[in-house]
Amino acid sequence: MQKQKRENFSSKLGIILATAGSALGLGNIYRFPCEAGANGGGAFLIVYLIIALVIGTSLMTTEFIIGRRAKANPIGAFRKLRSGPFWPFVGILGVLCAFLILAFYTTVAGWTLGYLGKSVAGHFSGQDLPQIQQQFTSFTNHPWLPLVCQLVFLALTALVVARGVKNGIERYSKILMPLLLVIMVILCVKSLTLSGAHDGLKFFFNPDFSKLNASVLINALGQSFFSLSIGMGCLITYGSYISKEDNLLSSATSVTLADTLVAILAGIIIFPAAFTFGIQPEAGASLAFTTLPMVFQQMTGGYFFCLIFFLLLVIATLTSTISLLEVIVAALTEELHLSRPAAAIYSSIATALIGIPATLSFRNGSILNLGGHSLFDLLDHITASYFMPIGGLLIVLFAGWWMKKPDTMDELTNGGTLSLPIRRAVYFIIRYIAPVAIIVIFVSQMLK
Ligand code: TRP
């Protein structure tokens, strides 16, 4: 059989940026503040930081190790590295997870596109809080607009993925991710001058440990996996495009730090604003989409900043949806030998079939919204609280116990050329600490 030629990222910066492109997105700017707000602020932040920096970095490195060793999509990677029917099944679960995430992710991705349109049209200027809140409700309840936005977003994603890794993914991430960081720092400075800055920062940074419980732990775990794009094979796929010379641990560390920084910046922007304008930190879905337009209102040149911000948010979101679709497309092209464009089209259609009901479930009185639990929330919950923790656990167990140790160490140290002590410690985390931590958090949530 003819072997398909696999593409590689072209440079070390290329991988970091492509992976950062995958990691940075709605998870940081939309989901992180939602979760921090709902789980007690500071207490959540501390747990989140520990999990992201220790377990997150190790799991990201692990996915790179598996991907680069096998040079294949998640299903093929497990099959190549270990015989037997069980492990490829873990890859299949990952691909399924990518579908489910992409389905509800494109709902909010569509909103970002809608909000970009609103900022171009200047819909926020001169509006007060109730009006801005009303705009969010009208937009999400509009009969067709959110659906059109979602489908356009999905089509854009498919277009980039159909063109392939290097041309598509790498190029966009290179310029735009650093730009996003700059604009977020500007927004932060503004937010810190608002009257509620003190209360907002106190909520976000002062841990109230009485709020700590099993749900906070699992939510922090789920959020860190979601934000870092780990626990379902996305970065096994990206790892398969990394060249032999690159340093996996340092790339994973840079991406984790950048991702965490952006999440914290989002918190520093959103909580002071929420406290200033009297928006509940537990406001959920509407939190980012009401606080941010309110902050822009307070700024000179607000129209301009709002426009650039939503443009960058659309792009950051796009680089994330690309990475999710890429998991499915890499699996379909390599396992079922479909062409890239065909795989991109079929998988987008399948995603739309779940994604459209997810968007509709946001409407007031929707039949897809039972007892306050919408289909959207359900998809979000089962992926972050079950699929990713279980997937992440199986991935670290695989690399720590089922892969041959010399193979794992060979990838970690690039054939013995990189410093050993740190990498031994990482191997220890992969083998013992990460699995035990995930099991403890997962089980404590089940027993609750
Ligand atoms: N990490 C992205 C974000 O924070 C979302 C994302 C992209 C993702 N690829 C993923 C989440 C893979 C889980 C798994 O917005």
Side-chain angles (χ1 to χ4, degrees), residues 248-262:
L248 302 183
L249 179 61
S250 83
S251 299
T253 310
S254 316
V255 174
T256 307
L257 290 176
D259 188 77
T260 307
L261 177 69
V262 172

Side-chain angles (χ1 to χ4, degrees), residues 2 21 67-68 93 106 118 131 144 154 196 205 217 236 249 259 280 338 356 359 377 386 414-415 438:
Q2 197 197 348
R68 186 168 74 173
L93 275 186
T106 47
K118 280 177 174 294
Q131 287 169 318
W144 47 264
L154 199 52
F205 286 111
L217 291 181
I236 294 183
L249 179 61
D259 188 77
Q280 290 302 315
L338 293 179
I356 291 172
T359 303
D377 290 335
Y386 296 94
N414 286 3
I438 299 172

Side-chain angles (χ1 to χ4, degrees), residues 181-297:
L181 205 61
V182 172
I183 192 134
M184 288 195 64
V185 171
I186 298 176
L187 272 173
C188 249
V189 172
K190 180 67 210 176
S191 239
L192 289 175
T193 62
L194 295 172
S195 61
H198 179 76
D199 292 339
L201 293 180
K202 203 164 132 209
F203 173 78
F204 187 42
F205 286 111
N206 250 5
D208 172 359
F209 287 109
S210 67
K211 297 231 171 89
L212 214 56
N213 56 37
S215 331
V216 173
L217 291 181
I218 189 86
N219 290 338
L221 184 81
Q223 171 59 25
S224 64
F225 283 18
F226 187 93
S227 189
L228 295 169
S229 308
I230 51 184
M232 42 68 79
C234 185
L235 298 182
I236 294 183
T237 309
Y238 273 25
S240 74
Y241 308 131
I242 300 179
S243 71
K244 281 290 165 214
E245 297 72 42
D246 287 314
N247 182 335
L248 302 183
L249 179 61
S250 83
S251 299
T253 310
S254 316
V255 174
T256 307
L257 290 176
D259 188 77
T260 307
L261 177 69
V262 172
I264 293 176
L265 285 178
I268 300 179
I269 297 167
I270 286 177
F271 292 114
F275 278 80
T276 305
F277 305 120
I279 300 169
Q280 290 302 315
E282 302 92 14
S286 64
L287 186 61
F289 289 92
T290 46
T291 45
L292 290 168
M294 287 302 290
V295 179
F296 291 120
Q297 295 268 336

Side-chain angles (χ1 to χ4, degrees), residues 15-290:
I15 327 151
I16 294 185
L17 288 171
T19 311
S22 167
L24 298 180
L26 295 172
N28 307 67
I29 291 160
Y30 164 83
R31 199 176 188 281
F32 176 81
C34 265
E35 290 290 306
N39 289 283
F44 178 87
L45 178 65
I46 295 233
V47 181
Y48 178 84
L49 287 178
I50 298 171
I51 295 179
L53 298 179
V54 180
I55 303 181
T57 313
S58 315
L59 184 48
M60 188 180 285
T61 312
T62 308
E63 293 202 19
F64 285 162
I65 290 174
I66 297 175
R68 186 168 74 173
R69 191 79 194 169
K71 291 251 169 280
N73 71 85
I75 305 174
F78 284 114
R79 184 174 342 94
K80 269 192 188 171
L81 298 176
R82 185 87 203 185
S83 57
F86 176 71
W87 290 104
F89 176 71
V90 177
I92 294 175
L93 275 186
V95 175
L96 182 64
C97 180
F99 256 122
L100 299 179
I101 295 178
L102 195 55
F104 74 86
Y105 200 85
T106 47
T107 296
V108 185
W111 300 351
T112 63
L113 213 51
Y115 267 62
L116 175 60
K118 280 177 174 294
S119 19
V120 174
H123 279 183
F124 308 120
S125 67
Q127 300 263 297
D128 57 15
L129 181 65
Q131 287 169 318
I132 288 204
Q133 283 170 328
Q134 179 55 37
Q135 283 202 43
F136 181 75
T137 318
S138 325
F139 178 75
T140 48
N141 280 285
H142 191 280
W144 47 264
L145 201 52
L147 293 176
V148 171
C149 290
Q150 179 181 30
L151 295 178
V152 169
F153 209 100
L154 199 52
L156 281 174
T157 309
L159 212 64
V160 179
V161 172
R163 293 185 58 198
V165 184
K166 218 188 259 173
N167 289 333
I169 301 171
E170 216 181 309
R171 195 191 292 163
Y172 297 97
S173 306
K174 254 183 197 159
I175 330 157
L176 298 160
M177 291 301 115
L179 203 58
L180 180 68
L181 205 61
V182 172
I183 192 134
M184 288 195 64
V185 171
I186 298 176
L187 272 173
C188 249
V189 172
K190 180 67 210 176
S191 239
L192 289 175
T193 62
L194 295 172
S195 61
H198 179 76
D199 292 339
L201 293 180
K202 203 164 132 209
F203 173 78
F204 187 42
F205 286 111
N206 250 5
D208 172 359
F209 287 109
S210 67
K211 297 231 171 89
L212 214 56
N213 56 37
S215 331
V216 173
L217 291 181
I218 189 86
N219 290 338
L221 184 81
Q223 171 59 25
S224 64
F225 283 18
F226 187 93
S227 189
L228 295 169
S229 308
I230 51 184
M232 42 68 79
C234 185
L235 298 182
I236 294 183
T237 309
Y238 273 25
S240 74
Y241 308 131
I242 300 179
S243 71
K244 281 290 165 214
E245 297 72 42
D246 287 314
N247 182 335
L248 302 183
L249 179 61
S250 83
S251 299
T253 310
S254 316
V255 174
T256 307
L257 290 176
D259 188 77
T260 307
L261 177 69
V262 172
I264 293 176
L265 285 178
I268 300 179
I269 297 167
I270 286 177
F271 292 114
F275 278 80
T276 305
F277 305 120
I279 300 169
Q280 290 302 315
E282 302 92 14
S286 64
L287 186 61
F289 289 92
T290 46

